[in-house]
Amino acid sequence: MEMLAVLEASGFSMWVKESSTAYVAVLAFHTIGLVFLVGISTATAMRILGIANGIPMQAMQDFFPLMYAGAAINVLTGTVLLTLYPTKYLVDPTFYIKLAAIGVAIIALRKIRALVFDISDAADTDSVSRPTRTLAWTIISAWLVALVAGRVMAYSVPTKLETAAAVLIIVVIAVLGAQLATRMGWVSLSEPDS
């Protein structure tokens, strides 16, 4: 704990905390990294699930370098943000929930890349296996958990619980809405006919 306190009081950490420009820049770049990594991987997962069938599956592979760039930006900026308050974050279970969710999402994304894009001509078809669809849902769910956990780390336990309850309600409404849209024929989330 002493070493974490020293890190928290270091010149670099104090400079970032006291400089509104540096702190805002780190947060801005962290958000840009999230857009590249979370946004594009979620869009890829949604395409695998049958949303936006007009976009060729192969075209989604071209976005992987941007996802990797987003991941690199987030590792760098996330490390800087961690050095600002390590005595707070490293004892918060929410931080570890966030890291676990990020790990699950990255592993699922790598498996999707292997199953869909790295197999020759597999990305040229719209036939996606059930395990691949499960991985796509895993990516979406893991990113949701990671984003909510990351956002609520700044708050007290009661606020964290209230936020988690609100997100759960929204997710239930979204799932019910998706089921209704599927039944009405607006969206097809079922597996394509082989």
Side-chain angles (χ1 to χ4, degrees), residues 5-175:
V6 169
L7 179 61
E8 192 169 310
S10 69
F12 175 76
S13 179
M14 295 307 291
W15 173 74
V16 173
K17 285 188 267 193
E18 293 172 1
S19 166
S20 59
T21 305
Y23 185 71
V24 169
V26 171
L27 286 178
F29 278 104
H30 199 67
T31 304
I32 290 167
L34 286 173
V35 169
F36 285 164
L37 177 60
V38 178
I40 295 171
S41 63
T42 300
T44 302
M46 292 174 78
R47 173 59 188 90
I48 287 168
L49 293 172
I51 297 172
N53 282 332
I55 300 172
M57 190 82 77
Q58 187 62 40
M60 301 306 289
Q61 183 174 11
D62 295 338
F63 290 107
F64 275 84
L66 282 176
M67 283 188 266
Y68 296 146
I73 291 168
N74 277 0
V75 166
L76 179 64
T77 57
T79 302
V80 170
L81 291 170
L82 177 63
T83 64
L84 301 182
Y85 302 101
T87 58
K88 177 183 175 186
Y89 294 145
L90 293 176
V91 296
D92 186 351
T94 312
F95 176 72
Y96 297 101
I97 292 170
K98 175 184 175 177
L99 289 182
I102 292 168
V104 167
I106 296 294
I107 290 168
L109 185 61
R110 290 178 55 97
K111 287 185 177 186
I112 278 181
R113 181 162 191 179
L115 290 170
V116 176
F117 299 105
D118 289 348
I119 300 171
S120 62
D121 298 330
D124 292 332
T125 73
D126 282 333
S127 179
V128 178
S129 69
R130 183 174 297 277
T132 303
R133 295 173 64 78
T134 301
L135 287 169
W137 280 113
T138 301
I139 287 173
I140 293 169
S141 301
W143 284 135
L144 178 64
V145 170
L147 290 173
V148 171
R151 186 64 206 116
V152 302
M153 281 174 42
Y155 300 110
S156 64
V157 172
T159 304
K160 289 178 185 185
L161 295 174
E162 290 169 2
T163 305
V167 168
L168 183 60
I169 290 168
I170 291 169
V171 167
V172 168
I173 291 170
V175 168

